[in-house]
Amino acid sequence: TGFLNSFSINPSSLIDTKPSKQEVVVLEEQDAVIKVVEETAPAVVSIVRKEIFFDPFRGPFRSEDSIGTGFIIDGKAGIILTNKHVVDNTGATYSVVLGEGEVSYDVDRIYKDPINDFAILKVQFEGSTDIPQIALGDSGSIKIGQTVIAIGNALGQFGNSVTKGIISGLGRGIVAKSGVFGRAESLKDIIQTDAALNPGNSGGPLLNLNGEVIGINVAISQGAENIGFSIPIDVLKPVIDDFMTSGKISRPFLGVEYVQITKDLSEERSLPQGAFVRDVVAGSPADKAGIEPGDIIVEIAGIKLDDENSLVKVISGQDTDKEVGIIIDRNGKEERLKIKLKDLEG
């Protein structure tokens, strides 16, 4: 007994106190998420819509609804990014609320992208210094499975709500609709995420673990759980850069309503890949160039239209001050036209 007592062992000394590799990874990610939220949340704003209505029984009354999210990318210049559908009511005025509702600023002007569900708000942060802002990242390098963070005004009630998830898919094509009677809009090359998004999150940032914006949250899938969508920030960078230089949003405009003929559809229907023209806007560059409904646009400026190069993508990369060649398929015969794109200002 004495021998055993002299060599007694403390059971606690047998426990390996060194954390496992899995625990270290979890802790590192947790710390990274907390740091991102602390650094970026102050630059995320709630967007409030103000309207005046007339009721025959009680007369005119004012309505204020918190309806979406935005985020500041230039505090000094007062530049805020959001979705176009968040600020689409031309009969309303808008304001932005910083933080948990401490400070509110009126929106001076709204610039809308004619192509994407995207808008830039201009605000005068008068009397304020050191306005927070968020840096834009690189959505071209993101990977499926990568951790992402969403911050937004969930349900229009819970400002700066934070959710975390992963990138679930890339290059998605969706049809987004705002409200019951809202206009449907086709969006392509969209990021899919399982970070929980709710009504009111629209226009908020999707962030990587460096605290950089890689997407703007735009839609959720009805009837499904944890399926949300964001517009890749790289798609919008040229628009943002032009705005910073010119003070306006402008896009090359062709003037057609079309359906993209994918590779699969091309093989199934024995049609060339490209953009099937459903309608042509009167007086538009397409109309002046001689494009007609039923034509299939197969090439613009030497770039063939395919699953990778959609009509919108190719047009967006063109200048509006020079003439470019365009190839169409009309009733099975190839024709070459010249077109000068118009500048469409939002």
Side-chain angles (χ1 to χ4, degrees):
T1 304
F3 179 81
L4 289 175
N5 283 341
S6 64
F7 287 89
S8 61
I9 301 175
N10 185 349
S12 64
S13 66
L14 297 176
I15 300 174
D16 184 2
T17 57
K18 183 179 179 181
S20 68
K21 184 176 181 180
Q22 182 178 359
E23 289 174 328
V24 171
V25 170
V26 170
L27 289 172
E28 286 179 349
E29 181 177 301
Q30 178 177 286
D31 290 344
V33 171
I34 292 172
K35 182 180 179 182
V36 167
V37 173
E38 288 177 344
E39 292 178 349
T40 61
V44 178
V45 304
S46 298
I47 297 176
V48 176
R49 180 178 61 204
K50 304 175 182 180
E51 297 177 272
I52 299 177
F53 297 94
F54 183 84
D55 186 291
F57 299 102
R58 55 176 176 159
F61 67 96
R62 294 179 181 274
S63 171
E64 289 192 14
D65 298 306
S66 184
I67 41 83
T69 306
F71 56 95
I72 305 167
I73 63 165
D74 189 329
K76 186 176 181 180
I79 305 299
I80 297 172
L81 308 187
T82 187
N83 288 144
K84 182 169 60 180
H85 76 260
V86 171
V87 289
D88 63 353
N89 189 335
T90 56
T93 59
Y94 296 88
S95 62
V96 298
V97 180
L98 274 64
E100 296 299 323
E102 299 93 349
V103 189
S104 176
Y105 298 91
D106 290 334
V107 174
D108 292 332
R109 188 164 178 188
I110 299 172
Y111 303 84
K112 300 176 183 178
D113 187 338
I115 295 176
N116 279 305
D117 190 352
F118 170 64
I120 297 175
L121 311 183
K122 191 75 168 62
V123 175
Q124 295 292 332
F125 292 118
E126 296 179 357
S128 300
T129 59
D130 196 25
I131 296 295
Q133 60 189 42
I134 308 178
L136 303 184
D138 176 14
S139 62
S141 62
I142 59 179
K143 305 291 184 182
I144 294 176
Q146 176 179 330
T147 299
V148 289
I149 302 161
I151 305 179
N153 181 20
L155 302 177
Q157 302 177 51
F158 309 108
N160 282 15
S161 292
V162 178
T163 57
K164 185 192 77 167
I166 62 170
I167 293 174
S168 307
L170 297 171
R172 302 302 197 203
I174 65 171
V175 176
K177 187 177 181 181
S178 176
V180 178
F181 303 106
R183 176 176 172 268
E185 185 170 7
S186 178
L187 303 173
K188 298 184 182 298
D189 298 324
I190 298 298
I191 300 169
Q192 179 188 336
T193 178
D194 71 348
L197 302 179
N198 293 282
N201 275 105
S202 290
L206 189 70
L207 302 153
N208 61 22
L209 289 182
N210 292 324
E212 300 166 330
V213 179
I214 57 170
I216 299 182
N217 300 323
V218 66
I220 57 176
S221 179
Q222 296 293 335
E225 291 186 5
N226 298 336
I227 299 181
F229 302 99
S230 299
I231 302 172
I233 200 64
D234 284 6
V235 172
L236 305 175
K237 279 181 180 177
V239 184
I240 298 168
D241 291 342
D242 286 345
F243 178 83
M244 293 300 192
T245 302
S246 66
K248 65 179 183 179
I249 292 179
S250 60
R251 289 280 203 169
F253 173 62
L254 179 61
V256 298
E257 180 182 339
Y258 74 98
V259 176
Q260 191 77 24
I261 300 176
T262 62
K263 181 180 179 181
D264 291 343
L265 188 59
S266 170
E267 293 173 351
E268 181 182 341
R269 301 292 183 181
S270 297
L271 294 170
Q273 277 190 263
F276 177 83
V277 178
R278 295 175 57 182
D279 199 6
V280 178
V281 178
S284 68
D287 186 28
K288 293 177 180 178
I291 297 175
E292 301 175 356
D295 290 344
I296 300 174
I297 303 173
V298 296
E299 184 178 306
I300 296 177
I303 303 172
K304 292 186 179 297
L305 303 188
D306 53 27
D307 291 359
E308 178 67 23
N309 295 304
S310 66
L311 179 61
V312 168
K313 183 177 181 180
V314 174
I315 290 295
S316 297
Q318 303 304 310
D319 295 327
T320 56
D321 58 353
K322 67 177 183 180
E323 199 173 53
V324 297
I326 184 168
I327 299 177
I328 64 170
D329 180 283
R330 178 174 293 170
N331 300 321
K333 294 182 179 180
E334 191 176 277
E335 295 191 21
R336 296 175 179 269
L337 306 171
K338 291 287 186 178
I339 193 166
K340 189 172 184 179
L341 300 173
K342 179 183 177 182
D343 187 41
L344 182 64
E345 186 175 341

